[in-house]
Amino acid sequence: MRLKDLGERALLGKLAPIGYPPGAPLPPGDDAGGVWVGEVAWLLKTDGFLYREVALLGMGPFEVGFRGVAATASDLLCKMGRPLGFTLGLFLPPDLEEAFVLELVKGAAEAAGRLGAVLLGGDTNAGEEVALTVSGFAQAEVPLPRRALPGDLLYLAGDRWGRTGAAIQAHYQARDLGAYPEIREAAFYPLPRLELLSLKGLLRGGLDSSDGLAETLWQLSEQGVRVDLEALPLYPDVLAFAGDEALAHELVLYGGEEFEAVLAVPPEQEAQVLARAKGAGLPLFRAGQVSEGEGVYFLGTPVKRRGYVHF
Amino acid sequence: MRLKDLGERALLGKLAPIGYPPGAPLPPGDDAGGVWVGEVAWLLKTDGFLYREVALLGMGPFEVGFRGVAATASDLLCKMGRPLGFTLGLFLPPDLEEAFVLELVKGAAEAAGRLGAVLLGGDTNAGEEVALTVSGFAQAEVPLPRRALPGDLLYLAGDRWGRTGAAIQAHYQARDLGAYPEIREAAFYPLPRLELLSLKGLLRGGLDSSDGLAETLWQLSEQGVRVDLEALPLYPDVLAFAGDEALAHELVLYGGEEFEAVLAVPPEQEAQVLARAKGAGLPLFRAGQVSEGEGVYFLGTPVKRRGYVHF
């Protein structure tokens, strides 16, 4: 079967178990892979993308390099891994200007540095168009899988919900973001949150949201639970950008590229989670809860599954 | 300046220091990067390539996946790093058959498994042609930089010298390798050598040879030394394939894709290095020595610098 007929999710489902070790800190197909070394989980993650697919209007190579490290770091941080270092795999047309590549790598270094991590080199190859992979490794004392149990509360970390979706929509509509500085910042410099690590040991599960919140919640529900959204974060600028509440909800549910965390919190840990997050300065939004069953619902209405896939 | 005018080596020289940490276990631009975690160096390496550039006549996706992990693992092992896990970054045309991708990943898993390591997932993207990056992480108690001091002896590890060069030449000449099983094996399944780790703590320096022996020795000489080759390993099958000794020497010097190690051995450690290598079953060939000065020579004649570059 051809990849375009199989679909990316089905392909990844078939690839993930190949060569993956039994007894690993995280199951195959999770946001990152890992091995135990003594009592510490060492996580490794690679994320790749084409430059033209992620460079929104106004973004340059610096922002795309930044975004690349952010994407990989977000996967590691959602697993409670503290990122240590990143490498880049670059495919570059020979006609490309040197300055472009330097800016790309400087953007990657900026994101790594703001996460307390470093760049550890990489590799360059000639390619038809600019494409990148970013790999990162991290240490996790209590690695956090994609998981939720009935009764768990659903929290959204960070404040990029709907904002990155708005920026992507602005790109396709060639709409200027001058009046929306926080939307622009969220999409151009989506720094994942080291503050997540303050919740170590308190959570049931965590997922990186990069294909959109709805898709992420559907992936959570595939663990064998029903997800009920009771509220969505709605920032004034996202509401103003969207024009009305229903359109703003669409941006929150189907935006993508947030590089924020979806967290399953056991009810008995909620008070401590909120206290620690407050102490660390991590925004947390209580979005709903998890119960027995299947599917994803928003105020009782089914949430359609639609997210970005490459095939 | 455009990349094709700048050249790949110059580009890598400019990129390597960006974001690279001071006091790291290995300097920027070495075969792998790393950070200290306690008293252990954690190394990270990414290597990328286009499928069509490395798939020799008769190789399929399994062999190319195997070769990808081998390339990254070789860089890690030459630094005395024990590889733990690998991830893949895949760019795939949507028209590609699923079976092709499964074979590619199975080949990668085979190489990882034969090195006592695992696959830890990865990422897929649509791309115009099949391209891969392979990332790997490793632990090194005594990380080994690219380095040599005057007086050091030069050893070549492994037995693929000239063989991979012969296979590449056979590919471009559409010559059948049926009569040369060891040449075929060396090129199709170039497993790096875990046995190198038996030399931990005894060596001055090590370099991965993947752009050809001559280029590798030139990189060594850039550390501020003169390299004198006194002999080259010449296997009967390589000699038979090449037709005469001079042509066989060309294959050894300019072959590439060996994924073998070039080692600088302090003379006072030579006896113990040989004993340990013998005990571990690691082939070692004494090729020459290092002295003050610059350049690379074979029996007094300058060795031309010519290796594979992408730009």
Side-chain angles (χ1 to χ4, degrees):
Chain A
M1 189 180 289
R2 288 168 194 244
L3 299 187
K4 64 183 176 188
D5 302 319
L6 178 65
E8 187 175 22
R9 272 203 300 274
L11 175 65
L12 286 171
K14 289 186 179 195
L15 298 183
I18 300 174
Y20 200 85
L26 296 166
D30 208 311
D31 295 302
V35 292
W36 289 109
V37 177
E39 304 203 338
V40 175
W42 278 84
L43 309 183
L44 184 63
K45 172 68 184 186
T46 292
D47 195 37
F49 54 93
L50 302 180
Y51 185 92
R52 69 175 153 84
E53 284 196 351
V54 304
L56 302 181
L57 216 60
M59 283 172 74
F62 185 91
E63 286 73 26
V64 171
F66 189 103
R67 181 253 176 232
V69 165
T72 295
S74 181
D75 282 320
L76 295 168
L77 280 163
C78 287
K79 307 291 102 181
M80 295 291 124
R82 180 182 295 277
L84 298 174
F86 299 90
T87 51
L88 306 178
L90 302 173
F91 294 93
L92 306 166
D95 274 332
L96 198 65
E97 287 292 328
E98 166 196 356
F100 181 100
V101 187
L102 290 172
E103 282 304 301
L104 190 75
V105 177
K106 283 178 190 168
E110 172 70 19
R114 284 169 64 181
L115 294 167
V118 294
L119 283 195
L120 294 172
D123 190 38
T124 57
N125 279 273
E128 292 281 317
E129 66 173 314
V130 180
L132 281 74
T133 65
V134 179
S135 300
F137 64 169
Q139 268 184 313
E141 289 162 32
V142 189
L144 188 68
R146 295 179 168 198
R147 181 177 57 189
L149 291 182
D152 286 348
L153 306 168
L154 196 71
Y155 272 88
L156 307 182
D159 64 4
R160 288 189 284 268
W161 304 99
R163 289 190 168 129
T164 55
I168 293 167
Q169 192 174 92
H171 171 78
Y172 285 108
Q173 298 175 347
R175 226 176 122 177
D176 184 58
L177 283 176
Y180 304 98
E182 287 176 295
I183 289 177
R184 188 179 183 279
E185 178 79 10
F188 281 35
Y189 307 104
L191 194 72
R193 301 180 193 269
L194 279 177
E195 298 85 351
L196 286 165
L197 301 179
S198 69
L199 307 180
K200 180 181 80 178
L202 297 177
L203 304 169
R204 182 93 65 201
L207 299 86
D208 169 59
S209 172
S210 57
D211 299 327
L213 177 60
E215 169 61 25
T216 306
L217 295 176
W218 272 101
Q219 289 172 10
L220 182 61
S221 87
E222 282 176 347
Q223 307 290 319
V225 294
R226 171 182 167 125
V227 175
D228 271 288
L229 287 169
E230 292 149 5
L232 289 173
L234 212 50
Y235 308 118
D237 57 344
V238 175
L239 189 56
F241 178 91
D244 73 34
E245 199 172 291
L247 292 172
H249 282 158
E250 287 275 307
L251 294 176
V252 175
L253 284 170
Y254 301 107
E257 300 273 309
E258 296 88 0
F259 308 127
E260 298 281 21
V262 173
L263 305 174
V265 179
E268 67 274 18
Q269 304 286 15
E270 186 182 24
Q272 209 183 339
V273 164
L274 291 174
R276 290 240 201 118
K278 191 174 178 188
L282 175 70
L284 276 189
F285 181 90
R286 181 165 159 174
Q289 56 184 339
V290 173
S291 59
E292 287 186 29
E294 55 185 320
V296 179
Y297 297 83
F298 176 37
L299 296 173
T301 305
V303 170
K304 283 193 191 125
R305 184 168 196 168
R306 117 175 112 72
Y308 192 81
V309 291
H310 293 103
F311 307 117
Chain B
M1 188 180 288
R2 287 167 194 246
L3 300 187
K4 64 182 178 189
D5 302 318
L6 178 66
E8 187 174 22
R9 272 202 301 274
L11 175 65
L12 286 172
K14 291 186 178 196
L15 298 183
I18 300 175
Y20 200 84
L26 296 166
D30 208 310
D31 294 303
V35 292
W36 288 110
V37 177
E39 304 204 336
V40 175
W42 279 83
L43 309 183
L44 184 61
K45 172 70 185 186
T46 292
D47 196 38
F49 54 93
L50 302 180
Y51 185 93
R52 69 175 153 83
E53 284 196 352
V54 303
L56 303 181
L57 218 59
M59 283 173 73
F62 185 92
E63 286 73 25
V64 171
F66 188 103
R67 180 253 177 231
V69 165
T72 294
S74 181
D75 282 319
L76 295 168
L77 280 162
C78 287
K79 307 291 101 183
M80 294 291 125
R82 181 183 293 279
L84 297 175
F86 299 90
T87 50
L88 306 178
L90 302 173
F91 294 92
L92 307 166
D95 273 334
L96 199 66
E97 286 293 329
E98 166 195 356
F100 182 100
V101 187
L102 290 172
E103 281 304 301
L104 190 74
V105 176
K106 283 178 190 168
E110 173 70 19
R114 284 169 65 181
L115 294 167
V118 294
L119 282 195
L120 294 172
D123 190 39
T124 57
N125 278 273
E128 292 281 316
E129 66 173 313
V130 179
L132 281 74
T133 66
V134 179
S135 301
F137 64 169
Q139 268 185 313
E141 288 161 32
V142 188
L144 188 68
R146 296 180 168 197
R147 181 177 56 189
L149 290 181
D152 286 347
L153 305 168
L154 197 71
Y155 272 88
L156 306 182
D159 64 3
R160 288 190 283 267
W161 304 99
R163 288 188 167 130
T164 55
I168 292 167
Q169 191 173 94
H171 171 78
Y172 285 107
Q173 298 175 346
R175 223 176 125 178
D176 184 57
L177 284 176
Y180 304 98
E182 286 176 296
I183 289 176
R184 188 178 183 281
E185 178 78 11
F188 281 36
Y189 307 103
L191 194 71
R193 300 181 194 269
L194 279 177
E195 298 85 350
L196 286 165
L197 300 179
S198 69
L199 307 180
K200 181 182 79 178
L202 295 177
L203 304 170
R204 182 92 65 199
L207 298 86
D208 170 60
S209 173
S210 57
D211 299 327
L213 178 60
E215 169 61 23
T216 305
L217 295 176
W218 272 102
Q219 289 171 11
L220 182 60
S221 87
E222 283 177 348
Q223 307 290 318
V225 293
R226 171 183 166 124
V227 176
D228 272 287
L229 288 169
E230 291 149 6
L232 290 172
L234 213 50
Y235 308 118
D237 56 344
V238 174
L239 189 57
F241 177 91
D244 73 35
E245 200 172 290
L247 292 172
H249 282 158
E250 287 273 307
L251 294 176
V252 175
L253 284 170
Y254 301 107
E257 300 273 311
E258 295 90 0
F259 307 126
E260 298 280 23
V262 173
L263 305 174
V265 179
E268 67 274 17
Q269 303 285 16
E270 187 182 23
Q272 208 182 339
V273 164
L274 292 173
R276 289 242 201 117
K278 191 174 179 189
L282 175 70
L284 277 189
F285 181 88
R286 181 166 159 174
Q289 56 185 340
V290 173
S291 59
E292 287 186 29
E294 55 184 320
V296 179
Y297 298 83
F298 177 35
L299 296 172
T301 304
V303 171
K304 283 194 190 125
R305 185 169 195 170
R306 108 178 120 74
Y308 191 80
V309 290
H310 293 102
F311 308 117

